[in-house]
Amino acid sequence: MAAKYFVLDTNVLLHNSDAITCFADNTVVLPMTVIEELDKFKKNNDELGRNARHVIRSLDRLRVQGSLGKGVPTSDGGVVWITMEKEGDGGACIDLNIPDNRIIATAYRLFREGKRVIFVSKDINARLKADALGIEVQDFEKEKADFDQLYTGWRSLKTSAATIDRFHHSKELLWDGEELQPNEFVLLVDAVNEKHTGIGRAVAGNLLKPLNPAYDSASNLRPRSMEQRLALELLMDPTVSLVSLIGQAGTGKTLLALAAGMANTLKSSRYEKLLVSRPVIPLGRDIGYLPGTKDEKMKLWMQPIFDNLAYLMGLTNGGKQDAAAELGINRLLREDRIELEALTYIRGRSISRQYVIIDEAQNLTPHEVKTIVSRAGEGTKMVLTGDPEQIDNPYLDASSNGLSYTVERLKGQEACGHITLTRSERSHLASLAAEYL
């Protein structure tokens, strides 16, 4: 089989700084325009800047081993090759004044030389251009999950009435059917009478245990659906160190996480602090510079969190979301029982004995999620919430975002649990919007 030449777009390297090592024994081609674009990003203080610097350092280490202009062999049998664009690469059909086009033109030149070229890009439009020239194209697939087949955290299984009765009586059941994931929930349904059911949680192999009645509510918030009850079971259980919640708007992801976090920090004192963070990525056109201190800026970005906290504080005050609820929230912030932090400042921290909620995690890359979760110290619980169908990051989709990737990669770990919420409970209007708009 002919050797493959993978021409990488800049956005692939910015998405995963180790991408040049992900193509086994094939040749990875980096057009000079990619190196120039990395140079522009390297000064940034965000994840893109860090990735750019990491790639540049990796290439510098390879440079010591040989000439990158001729191709340097890698440890896995592949080659990394930096190539200069040449006049006439794209023929008359490509405008080389556009950087993306110069990268595609390099792939086109190799393609016309008879090489098996594959253009790899996270930019759909760039892939369309390359495909129009007859070049094989693909997205960067290494850190992707199949969103349509994503693990939901629970399943429904048909069984006999006697089996369900035995489960209710003995408070456990060794399921002798298909293999279950740790912390996966099972809805046992009577094959004859569908109203005769039981809900169990896989705790050791295929051993099912009933739900813990102590987790029926949190901070005076009671679940409105079976899925919310299953989510609360994971959110309240201290033996589950990482919980991921996926669902459309209005399914209660953030509210449930905050309710469980407040119950575990303010009431039981199982954790010392509730830390809440979310990516600073705007919906639609950014409104620009925000004046004020860091806390004043964060209050605007964290307004959805304040809304949910006010609702929960209102539940403890007889259902009134009044000035007392706001005063209560401000007091907890002053006493440092609740901390609202930008993800920008979380790198390098070691977070111990805290209940950490990362909201809107679908806007994070897999590497960013890894960075955040690896901040967890002893006794810390991490909760990731989000909707992979509402992504504001231009280079992520429902399958490649960090939240979906985490769900798929950690589904077999005993310290992790996941629930996909499908039913909107915010209001009838919110449910209609989620379903039809």
Side-chain angles (χ1 to χ4, degrees):
M1 182 178 291
K4 297 177 183 177
Y5 288 73
F6 288 93
V7 180
L8 305 191
D9 198 354
T10 313
N11 51 58
V12 173
L13 301 174
L14 296 176
H15 174 76
N16 185 329
S17 57
D18 293 318
I20 58 175
T21 66
C22 296
F23 295 90
D25 57 350
N26 298 291
T27 298
V28 172
V29 181
L30 302 178
M32 189 59 69
T33 299
V34 169
I35 307 302
E36 293 170 351
E37 291 188 329
L38 289 175
D39 190 59
K40 294 177 183 178
F41 279 100
K42 71 180 183 183
K43 298 178 183 179
N44 292 7
N45 292 320
D46 54 13
E47 195 68 23
L48 297 180
R50 283 186 285 271
N51 286 345
R53 292 190 292 272
H54 180 84
V55 174
I56 292 169
R57 287 192 293 266
S58 298
L59 292 173
D60 190 48
R61 286 192 292 270
L62 287 173
R63 179 188 57 79
V64 177
Q65 302 173 25
S67 171
L68 286 167
K70 297 178 180 178
V72 177
T74 59
S75 58
D76 54 7
V79 173
V80 175
W81 175 30
I82 296 179
T83 179
M84 292 285 295
E85 293 88 346
K86 299 179 180 179
E87 187 175 350
D89 272 358
C93 57
I94 299 179
D95 180 3
L96 297 182
N97 292 316
I98 301 173
D100 280 356
N101 287 357
R102 293 199 294 272
I103 298 171
I104 295 170
T106 301
Y108 187 51
R109 166 168 53 89
L110 297 174
F111 171 69
R112 288 192 301 174
E113 291 175 359
K115 296 179 173 62
R116 185 182 176 190
V117 177
I118 301 172
F119 176 63
V120 185
S121 177
K122 308 260 341 141
D123 186 338
I124 296 175
N125 201 48
R127 296 203 301 268
L128 291 174
K129 290 180 182 180
D131 182 75
L133 294 171
I135 304 169
E136 185 177 345
V137 300
Q138 68 178 46
D139 193 358
F140 183 68
E141 301 285 348
K142 182 172 175 59
E143 294 182 333
K144 293 192 74 169
D146 186 350
F147 182 68
D148 293 330
Q149 302 295 324
L150 197 66
Y151 174 63
T152 62
W154 72 279
R155 69 179 81 178
S156 176
L157 296 174
K158 293 288 184 69
T159 188
S160 66
T163 299
I164 297 175
D165 291 339
R166 187 168 72 252
F167 172 66
H168 287 308
H169 181 263
S170 62
K171 303 302 180 185
E172 66 176 32
L173 175 68
L174 184 60
W175 181 252
D176 59 359
E178 51 200 284
E179 183 179 355
L180 304 175
Q181 300 288 351
N183 294 315
E184 183 177 9
F185 296 93
V186 174
L187 174 63
L188 300 171
V189 181
D190 189 335
V192 177
N193 179 12
E194 293 187 351
K195 293 184 178 181
H196 185 204
T197 61
I199 300 179
R201 173 181 164 191
V203 293
N206 272 24
L207 182 65
L208 294 176
K209 290 280 190 178
L211 304 186
N212 190 333
Y215 303 153
D216 281 343
S217 65
S219 303
N220 294 317
L221 180 74
R222 299 189 65 83
R224 293 184 176 182
S225 66
M226 183 194 71
E227 292 170 345
Q228 288 192 351
R229 175 63 185 88
L230 303 183
L232 209 55
E233 181 81 7
L234 297 175
L235 292 167
M236 293 293 290
D237 189 346
T239 66
V240 183
S241 301
L242 187 142
V243 178
S244 52
L245 301 180
I246 282 179
Q248 295 178 331
T251 51
K253 309 177 297 295
T254 306
L255 186 62
L256 288 167
L258 286 171
M262 291 176 66
N264 279 283
T265 54
L266 307 182
K267 293 186 178 180
S268 70
S269 298
R270 183 174 287 124
Y271 304 94
E272 294 176 356
K273 183 192 296 185
L274 172 61
L275 172 62
V276 186
S277 189
R278 67 203 304 259
V280 183
I281 298 179
L283 170 64
R285 188 178 295 275
D286 196 349
I287 61 173
Y289 169 77
L290 297 176
T293 64
K294 186 191 84 167
D295 290 340
E296 290 171 337
K297 295 175 193 288
M298 285 303 300
K299 186 172 183 180
L300 294 173
W301 283 109
M302 291 291 182
Q303 193 56 51
I305 305 300
F306 279 102
D307 293 342
N308 283 293
L309 286 173
Y311 178 79
L312 292 171
M313 295 293 287
L315 290 179
T316 62
N317 295 330
K320 296 180 179 180
Q321 298 182 55
D322 52 15
E326 185 174 351
L327 289 173
I329 295 171
N330 291 331
R331 176 176 55 81
L332 292 172
L333 291 169
R334 285 196 308 272
E335 294 174 355
D336 210 26
R337 299 301 303 280
I338 297 178
E339 180 182 358
L340 305 180
E341 183 63 282
L343 282 178
T344 310
Y345 305 105
I346 207 168
R347 178 181 285 272
R349 294 184 60 177
S350 181
I351 304 170
S352 301
R353 288 190 50 78
Q354 295 186 29
Y355 197 105
V356 182
I357 300 173
I358 307 298
D359 197 27
E360 303 291 346
Q362 79 277 3
N363 282 316
L364 301 172
T365 67
H367 181 70
E368 287 171 333
V369 170
K370 178 182 178 179
T371 300
I372 294 164
V373 175
S374 62
R375 300 301 96 210
E378 195 66 33
T380 284
K381 186 184 185 88
M382 286 272 182
V383 180
L384 307 176
T385 69
D387 179 6
E389 297 191 71
Q390 290 189 352
I391 294 179
D392 303 308
N393 188 320
Y395 293 122
L396 297 178
D397 57 31
S399 296
S400 64
N401 69 87
L403 180 58
S404 297
Y405 181 73
T406 301
V407 170
E408 195 60 32
R409 293 286 291 176
L410 296 182
K411 66 181 179 183
Q413 302 299 317
E414 293 184 1
C416 305
H418 168 73
I419 287 294
T420 297
L421 302 161
T422 58
R423 179 178 166 184
S424 177
E425 300 290 349
R426 179 175 292 161
S427 67
H428 179 59
L429 179 58
S431 178
L432 291 174
E435 184 175 357
Y436 292 106
L437 296 183

